[in-house]
Amino acid sequence: MNSPKRPGHTGLPGKLPRHVAIVMDGNGRWARKRGLPRPAGHAAGVEALRDIIRACDEWGIGTLSIYAFSTENWARPGEEVSALMGLLLRYFAGEIDELDEKNVRIRILGDVEGLPGPQRDAVCRAMERTGGNTGLNLNIALNYGGRQELLRAARSLMADAATGRFDPGELDEQGFARRLYTGGQPEVDLFIRTGGEVRTSNFLPWQTTYAEMVFNEILWPDYSREAFREDLWIYAGRDRRFGMVRT
Ligand code: FPP
């Protein structure tokens, strides 16, 4: 665990990740500590998210993937699911102008068809509106599961093989990766999870194979660009060998 001892850097490290993935955990506990209902924690989480997106934009991080709603999250109490879905609509209504102005390109990772109609429309509009942007790639995982993503890719390969459009003997890692929601994007360099749990929870299993993992105790609504900067320093201090030895 990499907190709470945090040195407080003021600048950025020279080496930055190209792709950061974040599991934004701890909203519920943040709310409970304040005697608030869990959805209040998620609403506070949106504020933290805004700051991190701005930081990625300003610091030139190419791709940010955030885990907003997993396929398992449907099993939460109905009230909380409704609150999260409402928040999602408000998020796109409230943030899309700024994101578009900042040249952010939004991509949804997950089964968009499985979202309720209004949310599906909102995310499709956001993807269409920002699809030509060339700044930060913002991947929002919604109704996302990593195993489901792998199965989807496998199914699409099998369908193409069945119709002769693709020769299974030709399949390589790049070809498989192109079939994932993140097709065309770099693999994850830095995986951050807030909230104290030390697991990846089915988030981007293929893309994080060689990612550096940083787990901290901060509850997501308390996560800030200062905390993010410290995690970038931890990343910069890691020795990435990709299975090779240091020379
Ligand atoms: C996990 O915390 C967080 C989530 C399941 C939702 C994350 C969503 C947001 C930060 C806001 C929504 C995002 C968008 C793009 C609108 P938890 O509820 O499991 O916290 P706990 O472990 O403390 O209970």
Coordinates of all heavy atoms in Angstrom, one line a residue, residues 64-136:
L64 N -7.0 8.1 -20.3 CA -7.4 7.8 -18.9 C -8.6 6.9 -19.0 O -9.6 7.2 -19.7 CB -7.8 9.1 -18.2 CG -8.5 9.0 -16.9 CD1 -7.5 8.4 -15.8 CD2 -9.1 10.3 -16.4
S65 N -8.6 5.8 -18.3 CA -9.7 4.9 -18.3 C -10.2 4.8 -16.8 O -9.5 4.6 -15.9 CB -9.3 3.4 -18.7 OG -8.9 3.4 -20.0
I66 N -11.5 5.0 -16.7 CA -12.1 5.0 -15.3 C -13.2 4.0 -15.3 O -14.0 3.8 -16.2 CB -12.7 6.4 -15.0 CG1 -13.6 7.0 -16.1 CG2 -11.5 7.4 -14.7 CD1 -14.5 8.0 -15.6
Y67 N -13.3 3.4 -14.1 CA -14.3 2.3 -13.9 C -15.5 2.9 -13.2 O -15.5 3.2 -12.0 CB -13.7 1.3 -13.0 CG -14.1 -0.2 -13.1 CD1 -13.6 -1.2 -12.4 CD2 -15.1 -0.5 -14.1 CE1 -14.0 -2.5 -12.5 CE2 -15.5 -1.8 -14.2 CZ -15.0 -2.8 -13.5 OH -15.4 -4.1 -13.6
A68 N -16.5 3.3 -14.0 CA -17.7 4.0 -13.5 C -18.8 3.0 -13.0 O -19.5 3.3 -12.0 CB -18.2 5.0 -14.5
F69 N -18.9 1.9 -13.8 CA -20.1 1.0 -13.4 C -19.8 -0.3 -14.0 O -19.7 -0.5 -15.3 CB -21.4 1.6 -14.0 CG -22.6 0.9 -13.4 CD1 -23.2 1.4 -12.2 CD2 -23.2 -0.2 -14.0 CE1 -24.3 0.8 -11.7 CE2 -24.3 -0.8 -13.5 CZ -24.9 -0.3 -12.3
S70 N -19.6 -1.3 -13.2 CA -19.3 -2.7 -13.7 C -20.6 -3.5 -13.9 O -21.6 -3.1 -13.4 CB -18.4 -3.4 -12.7 OG -19.2 -3.8 -11.6
T71 N -20.4 -4.6 -14.7 CA -21.5 -5.5 -14.9 C -22.1 -6.0 -13.5 O -23.2 -6.3 -13.4 CB -21.2 -6.6 -15.8 OG1 -19.9 -7.2 -15.4 CG2 -21.0 -6.2 -17.3
E72 N -21.2 -6.1 -12.5 CA -21.6 -6.6 -11.2 C -22.4 -5.5 -10.4 O -23.1 -5.8 -9.5 CB -20.4 -7.0 -10.4 CG -19.7 -8.3 -10.9 CD -18.9 -8.1 -12.1 OE1 -18.3 -7.0 -12.3 OE2 -18.8 -9.0 -13.0
N73 N -22.2 -4.3 -10.8 CA -22.8 -3.2 -10.0 C -24.3 -3.2 -10.1 O -25.0 -2.6 -9.3 CB -22.3 -1.8 -10.4 CG -20.9 -1.6 -9.9 OD1 -20.1 -0.8 -10.5 ND2 -20.5 -2.2 -8.8
W74 N -24.9 -3.9 -11.1 CA -26.4 -4.0 -11.2 C -27.0 -4.6 -9.9 O -28.1 -4.5 -9.6 CB -26.8 -4.7 -12.4 CG -26.5 -4.1 -13.7 CD1 -25.5 -4.5 -14.6 CD2 -27.0 -2.9 -14.3 NE1 -25.5 -3.7 -15.7 CE2 -26.4 -2.7 -15.5 CE3 -28.0 -2.0 -13.9 CZ2 -26.7 -1.6 -16.3 CZ3 -28.3 -0.9 -14.7 CH2 -27.6 -0.7 -15.9
A75 N -26.1 -5.4 -9.3 CA -26.6 -6.2 -8.1 C -26.7 -5.3 -6.8 O -27.1 -5.8 -5.8 CB -25.7 -7.4 -7.8
R76 N -26.3 -4.1 -6.9 CA -26.4 -3.2 -5.8 C -27.9 -2.8 -5.5 O -28.7 -3.0 -6.4 CB -25.6 -1.9 -6.0 CG -24.1 -2.2 -6.0 CD -23.3 -0.9 -6.0 NE -21.9 -1.3 -5.9 CZ -20.9 -0.5 -5.4 NH1 -21.2 0.7 -4.9 NH2 -19.7 -1.0 -5.3
P77 N -28.2 -2.3 -4.3 CA -29.6 -2.0 -4.1 C -30.2 -1.1 -5.2 O -29.4 -0.2 -5.7 CB -29.6 -1.2 -2.7 CG -28.3 -1.7 -2.1 CD -27.3 -2.0 -3.2
G78 N -31.4 -1.3 -5.5 CA -32.1 -0.5 -6.6 C -31.9 1.0 -6.5 O -31.6 1.6 -7.5
E79 N -32.0 1.5 -5.3 CA -31.9 2.9 -5.1 C -30.5 3.4 -5.5 O -30.4 4.5 -6.1 CB -32.0 3.2 -3.6 CG -33.4 3.6 -3.1 CD -33.4 3.8 -1.6 OE1 -32.5 4.3 -1.0 OE2 -34.4 3.4 -1.1
E80 N -29.5 2.7 -5.2 CA -28.1 3.1 -5.5 C -27.9 3.0 -7.0 O -27.3 3.9 -7.6 CB -27.1 2.3 -4.7 CG -25.7 2.8 -5.0 CD -24.7 2.1 -4.1 OE1 -25.0 1.4 -3.1 OE2 -23.4 2.3 -4.4
V81 N -28.4 2.0 -7.6 CA -28.3 1.8 -9.1 C -29.0 3.0 -9.7 O -28.4 3.7 -10.6 CB -28.8 0.5 -9.6 CG1 -28.9 0.5 -11.1 CG2 -28.0 -0.7 -9.1
S82 N -30.2 3.3 -9.3 CA -30.9 4.5 -9.9 C -30.1 5.8 -9.7 O -30.1 6.6 -10.6 CB -32.3 4.7 -9.2 OG -33.0 3.5 -9.4
A83 N -29.6 5.9 -8.5 CA -28.8 7.2 -8.2 C -27.6 7.2 -9.1 O -27.3 8.3 -9.7 CB -28.4 7.2 -6.8
L84 N -26.9 6.1 -9.3 CA -25.8 6.1 -10.2 C -26.2 6.4 -11.7 O -25.5 7.2 -12.4 CB -25.0 4.8 -10.2 CG -24.0 4.7 -9.0 CD1 -23.6 3.2 -8.8 CD2 -22.8 5.5 -9.2
M85 N -27.3 5.9 -12.1 CA -27.8 6.1 -13.5 C -28.2 7.6 -13.6 O -27.9 8.2 -14.7 CB -28.9 5.2 -13.8 CG -28.5 3.8 -14.0 SD -27.4 3.6 -15.4 CE -26.2 2.5 -14.7
G86 N -28.8 8.2 -12.6 CA -29.2 9.6 -12.6 C -27.9 10.5 -12.7 O -27.9 11.4 -13.4
L87 N -26.9 10.1 -11.9 CA -25.7 10.8 -11.9 C -25.0 10.8 -13.2 O -24.4 11.8 -13.7 CB -24.8 10.2 -10.8 CG -23.6 10.9 -10.3 CD1 -24.0 12.2 -9.7 CD2 -22.8 10.1 -9.2
L88 N -25.1 9.7 -13.9 CA -24.5 9.5 -15.2 C -25.1 10.5 -16.2 O -24.4 11.2 -16.9 CB -24.8 8.1 -15.7 CG -24.0 7.6 -16.8 CD1 -22.5 7.6 -16.5 CD2 -24.4 6.2 -17.2
L89 N -26.4 10.6 -16.1 CA -27.1 11.6 -17.0 C -26.7 13.0 -16.7 O -26.4 13.8 -17.6 CB -28.7 11.5 -16.9 CG -29.4 10.3 -17.6 CD1 -30.9 10.5 -17.4 CD2 -29.0 10.2 -19.0
R90 N -26.7 13.3 -15.4 CA -26.3 14.7 -15.1 C -24.8 14.9 -15.5 O -24.5 16.0 -15.8 CB -26.5 14.9 -13.6 CG -27.9 15.0 -13.2 CD -28.1 15.7 -11.8 NE -27.5 14.9 -10.7 CZ -28.0 13.8 -10.2 NH1 -29.2 13.3 -10.7 NH2 -27.4 13.1 -9.2
Y91 N -24.0 13.9 -15.3 CA -22.6 14.0 -15.7 C -22.5 14.5 -17.2 O -21.8 15.4 -17.5 CB -21.8 12.7 -15.4 CG -20.4 12.8 -15.8 CD1 -19.5 13.5 -14.9 CD2 -19.9 12.4 -17.0 CE1 -18.2 13.6 -15.2 CE2 -18.5 12.5 -17.3 CZ -17.7 13.1 -16.4 OH -16.4 13.3 -16.7
F92 N -23.1 13.7 -18.0 CA -23.0 14.0 -19.5 C -23.6 15.4 -19.8 O -23.0 16.2 -20.6 CB -23.5 12.9 -20.3 CG -22.5 11.8 -20.4 CD1 -22.7 10.6 -19.7 CD2 -21.4 11.9 -21.2 CE1 -21.8 9.6 -19.7 CE2 -20.4 10.8 -21.2 CZ -20.7 9.7 -20.5
A93 N -24.7 15.7 -19.2 CA -25.4 17.0 -19.4 C -24.5 18.1 -18.9 O -24.3 19.2 -19.6 CB -26.7 17.0 -18.8
G94 N -23.9 17.9 -17.8 CA -23.1 19.0 -17.1 C -21.7 19.2 -17.6 O -21.1 20.3 -17.5
E95 N -21.1 18.1 -18.1 CA -19.6 18.2 -18.3 C -19.3 18.2 -19.8 O -18.1 18.5 -20.2 CB -18.9 16.9 -17.7 CG -19.2 16.7 -16.2 CD -18.5 17.7 -15.3 OE1 -17.3 18.0 -15.6 OE2 -19.1 18.0 -14.3
I96 N -20.2 17.8 -20.7 CA -19.9 17.6 -22.1 C -19.3 18.8 -22.7 O -18.3 18.7 -23.5 CB -21.1 17.0 -22.9 CG1 -20.6 16.5 -24.2 CG2 -22.2 18.0 -23.0 CD1 -19.7 15.3 -24.2
D97 N -19.8 20.0 -22.4 CA -19.3 21.2 -23.1 C -17.8 21.4 -22.7 O -17.0 21.6 -23.6 CB -20.1 22.4 -22.7 CG -21.5 22.5 -23.3 OD1 -21.6 21.7 -24.3 OD2 -22.4 23.2 -22.8
E98 N -17.5 21.3 -21.4 CA -16.1 21.5 -21.0 C -15.2 20.4 -21.7 O -14.1 20.7 -22.2 CB -15.9 21.5 -19.5 CG -14.5 21.6 -19.1 CD -14.2 21.6 -17.6 OE1 -15.1 21.9 -16.8 OE2 -13.0 21.2 -17.3
L99 N -15.7 19.2 -21.6 CA -14.8 18.1 -22.2 C -14.6 18.3 -23.7 O -13.5 18.2 -24.2 CB -15.5 16.7 -22.0 CG -15.6 16.3 -20.5 CD1 -16.5 15.0 -20.3 CD2 -14.2 16.0 -19.9
D100 N -15.6 18.7 -24.4 CA -15.5 18.9 -25.8 C -14.5 20.1 -26.1 O -13.7 20.0 -26.9 CB -16.9 19.2 -26.4 CG -16.9 19.1 -27.9 OD1 -16.0 18.4 -28.5 OD2 -17.8 19.7 -28.6
E101 N -14.7 21.2 -25.3 CA -13.8 22.3 -25.5 C -12.4 22.0 -25.2 O -11.5 22.5 -25.8 CB -14.2 23.4 -24.4 CG -15.1 24.5 -25.0 CD -15.7 25.2 -23.8 OE1 -15.1 25.5 -22.8 OE2 -17.0 25.6 -23.9
K102 N -12.2 21.0 -24.3 CA -10.8 20.6 -24.0 C -10.3 19.6 -25.0 O -9.2 19.0 -24.8 CB -10.7 20.0 -22.6 CG -10.8 21.0 -21.4 CD -10.4 20.4 -20.1 CE -10.5 21.3 -18.9 NZ -10.2 22.7 -19.1
N103 N -11.1 19.3 -26.0 CA -10.6 18.4 -27.1 C -10.6 16.9 -26.6 O -9.8 16.1 -27.1 CB -9.3 18.9 -27.6 CG -9.0 18.4 -29.0 OD1 -9.9 18.0 -29.7 ND2 -7.7 18.4 -29.4
V104 N -11.3 16.6 -25.5 CA -11.3 15.3 -25.0 C -12.2 14.4 -25.9 O -13.3 14.7 -26.3 CB -11.9 15.3 -23.5 CG1 -12.1 13.9 -23.0 CG2 -11.0 16.1 -22.6
R105 N -11.7 13.2 -26.1 CA -12.5 12.2 -26.9 C -13.0 11.1 -26.0 O -12.2 10.4 -25.3 CB -11.6 11.6 -28.0 CG -12.4 10.6 -28.9 CD -11.7 10.2 -30.1 NE -10.5 9.4 -29.7 CZ -9.8 8.7 -30.6 NH1 -10.2 8.7 -31.9 NH2 -8.8 8.0 -30.2
I106 N -14.3 11.0 -25.9 CA -14.9 10.0 -25.0 C -15.2 8.7 -25.7 O -15.7 8.7 -26.8 CB -16.3 10.6 -24.5 CG1 -16.0 11.8 -23.6 CG2 -17.0 9.5 -23.7 CD1 -17.2 12.6 -23.2
R107 N -14.8 7.6 -25.1 CA -15.1 6.3 -25.6 C -15.7 5.5 -24.4 O -15.2 5.6 -23.3 CB -13.8 5.6 -26.0 CG -14.1 4.3 -26.7 CD -12.8 3.6 -27.1 NE -12.1 4.2 -28.2 CZ -11.1 3.5 -28.8 NH1 -10.8 2.3 -28.5 NH2 -10.4 4.1 -29.8
I108 N -16.8 4.8 -24.7 CA -17.4 4.0 -23.6 C -16.8 2.6 -23.7 O -16.9 2.0 -24.8 CB -18.9 4.0 -23.7 CG1 -19.5 5.4 -23.7 CG2 -19.5 3.1 -22.6 CD1 -19.2 6.2 -22.4
L109 N -16.3 2.0 -22.6 CA -15.9 0.6 -22.6 C -17.1 -0.1 -21.9 O -17.4 0.2 -20.8 CB -14.6 0.5 -21.8 CG -13.5 1.5 -22.0 CD1 -12.3 1.1 -21.1 CD2 -13.1 1.5 -23.4
G110 N -17.6 -1.1 -22.6 CA -18.7 -1.9 -22.0 C -19.9 -2.0 -22.9 O -19.9 -1.5 -24.1
D111 N -20.9 -2.7 -22.4 CA -22.1 -3.0 -23.2 C -23.1 -1.9 -23.2 O -23.9 -1.8 -22.3 CB -22.7 -4.3 -22.7 CG -23.9 -4.7 -23.4 OD1 -24.1 -4.2 -24.5 OD2 -24.6 -5.6 -23.0
V112 N -22.9 -1.0 -24.1 CA -23.8 0.2 -24.1 C -25.3 -0.2 -24.4 O -26.2 0.4 -23.8 CB -23.3 1.2 -25.3 CG1 -24.3 2.3 -25.5 CG2 -22.0 1.7 -24.9
E113 N -25.5 -1.2 -25.1 CA -26.8 -1.7 -25.4 C -27.6 -2.1 -24.2 O -28.8 -2.1 -24.1 CB -26.8 -2.9 -26.4 CG -26.3 -2.5 -27.8 CD -27.1 -1.3 -28.4 OE1 -28.4 -1.4 -28.4 OE2 -26.5 -0.4 -28.9
G114 N -26.8 -2.5 -23.1 CA -27.5 -3.0 -21.9 C -27.8 -1.8 -20.9 O -28.3 -2.1 -19.8
L115 N -27.5 -0.6 -21.3 CA -27.9 0.6 -20.5 C -29.3 1.0 -20.7 O -29.8 0.8 -21.8 CB -27.0 1.7 -20.8 CG -25.5 1.6 -20.5 CD1 -24.7 2.8 -21.0 CD2 -25.3 1.5 -19.0
P116 N -29.9 1.6 -19.7 CA -31.3 2.1 -19.9 C -31.3 3.1 -21.1 O -30.3 3.8 -21.3 CB -31.7 2.8 -18.6 CG -30.7 2.2 -17.6 CD -29.4 1.8 -18.4
G117 N -32.4 3.3 -21.8 CA -32.5 4.2 -22.9 C -31.9 5.6 -22.8 O -31.0 6.0 -23.6
P118 N -32.3 6.3 -21.8 CA -31.7 7.7 -21.7 C -30.2 7.7 -21.5 O -29.5 8.6 -22.1 CB -32.4 8.3 -20.4 CG -33.6 7.4 -20.2 CD -33.3 6.0 -20.8
Q119 N -29.7 6.8 -20.7 CA -28.2 6.7 -20.5 C -27.5 6.3 -21.8 O -26.5 6.9 -22.2 CB -27.9 5.7 -19.4 CG -28.2 6.2 -18.0 CD -29.6 6.3 -17.6 OE1 -30.5 5.8 -18.3 NE2 -29.9 7.0 -16.5
R120 N -28.2 5.4 -22.5 CA -27.6 4.9 -23.8 C -27.5 6.1 -24.8 O -26.5 6.3 -25.4 CB -28.4 3.8 -24.3 CG -27.8 3.0 -25.5 CD -28.6 1.8 -25.8 NE -30.0 2.1 -26.2 CZ -31.1 1.5 -25.7 NH1 -30.9 0.5 -24.9 NH2 -32.3 1.9 -26.1
D121 N -28.6 6.8 -24.8 CA -28.6 8.0 -25.8 C -27.6 9.0 -25.4 O -26.9 9.5 -26.3 CB -30.0 8.6 -25.8 CG -31.1 7.7 -26.4 OD1 -30.7 6.7 -27.0 OD2 -32.3 8.0 -26.2
A122 N -27.5 9.3 -24.1 CA -26.5 10.3 -23.6 C -25.1 9.9 -24.0 O -24.3 10.7 -24.4 CB -26.7 10.5 -22.1
V123 N -24.8 8.6 -23.7 CA -23.4 8.3 -24.0 C -23.1 8.2 -25.5 O -22.0 8.5 -25.9 CB -22.9 6.9 -23.3 CG1 -23.1 7.1 -21.8 CG2 -23.7 5.7 -23.8
C124 N -24.1 7.8 -26.2 CA -23.9 7.7 -27.7 C -23.7 9.1 -28.3 O -22.8 9.4 -29.1 CB -25.0 7.0 -28.4 SG -25.0 5.2 -28.1
R125 N -24.5 10.1 -27.8 CA -24.3 11.5 -28.2 C -22.9 12.0 -27.8 O -22.3 12.7 -28.6 CB -25.4 12.3 -27.6 CG -26.7 12.3 -28.3 CD -27.6 13.6 -28.0 NE -27.8 13.7 -26.5 CZ -28.8 13.1 -25.8 NH1 -29.6 12.3 -26.4 NH2 -28.9 13.2 -24.5
A126 N -22.5 11.7 -26.6 CA -21.2 12.2 -26.2 C -20.1 11.6 -27.0 O -19.1 12.3 -27.4 CB -21.0 11.8 -24.7
M127 N -20.2 10.3 -27.4 CA -19.2 9.7 -28.2 C -19.1 10.3 -29.6 O -18.1 10.5 -30.2 CB -19.4 8.1 -28.3 CG -18.8 7.4 -27.1 SD -18.7 5.6 -27.4 CE -20.5 5.1 -27.3
E128 N -20.4 10.5 -30.1 CA -20.4 11.1 -31.5 C -19.9 12.5 -31.5 O -19.1 12.9 -32.4 CB -21.9 11.2 -31.9 CG -22.3 10.3 -33.0 CD -23.8 10.2 -33.1 OE1 -24.4 11.3 -33.4 OE2 -24.4 9.1 -33.0
R129 N -20.3 13.3 -30.5 CA -19.9 14.7 -30.4 C -18.3 14.8 -30.3 O -17.7 15.7 -30.9 CB -20.6 15.4 -29.3 CG -20.1 16.8 -29.1 CD -21.0 17.6 -28.2 NE -20.4 18.8 -27.8 CZ -20.9 19.7 -26.9 NH1 -22.1 19.4 -26.4 NH2 -20.3 20.8 -26.6
T130 N -17.7 13.9 -29.6 CA -16.3 14.1 -29.3 C -15.4 13.1 -30.1 O -14.2 13.2 -29.9 CB -16.0 13.9 -27.8 OG1 -16.3 12.5 -27.5 CG2 -16.8 14.8 -26.9
G131 N -16.0 12.3 -30.9 CA -15.3 11.3 -31.7 C -14.2 11.8 -32.5 O -13.2 11.1 -32.7
G132 N -14.2 13.1 -33.0 CA -13.2 13.6 -33.8 C -12.1 14.4 -33.0 O -11.2 14.9 -33.6
N133 N -12.3 14.4 -31.7 CA -11.3 15.2 -30.9 C -10.0 14.5 -30.8 O -9.9 13.3 -30.9 CB -11.9 15.4 -29.5 CG -13.0 16.5 -29.5 OD1 -13.3 17.1 -30.5 ND2 -13.8 16.6 -28.4
T134 N -9.0 15.3 -30.6 CA -7.6 14.7 -30.7 C -6.8 14.8 -29.4 O -5.6 14.6 -29.3 CB -6.8 15.3 -31.8 OG1 -6.9 16.8 -31.6 CG2 -7.4 15.0 -33.2
G135 N -7.5 15.3 -28.3 CA -6.8 15.5 -27.0 C -6.8 14.2 -26.2 O -6.7 13.1 -26.7
L136 N -7.1 14.4 -24.9 CA -7.1 13.2 -24.0 C -8.2 12.2 -24.4 O -9.3 12.6 -24.7 CB -7.5 13.7 -22.6 CG -7.9 12.7 -21.5 CD1 -6.6 11.9 -21.1 CD2 -8.5 13.4 -20.3

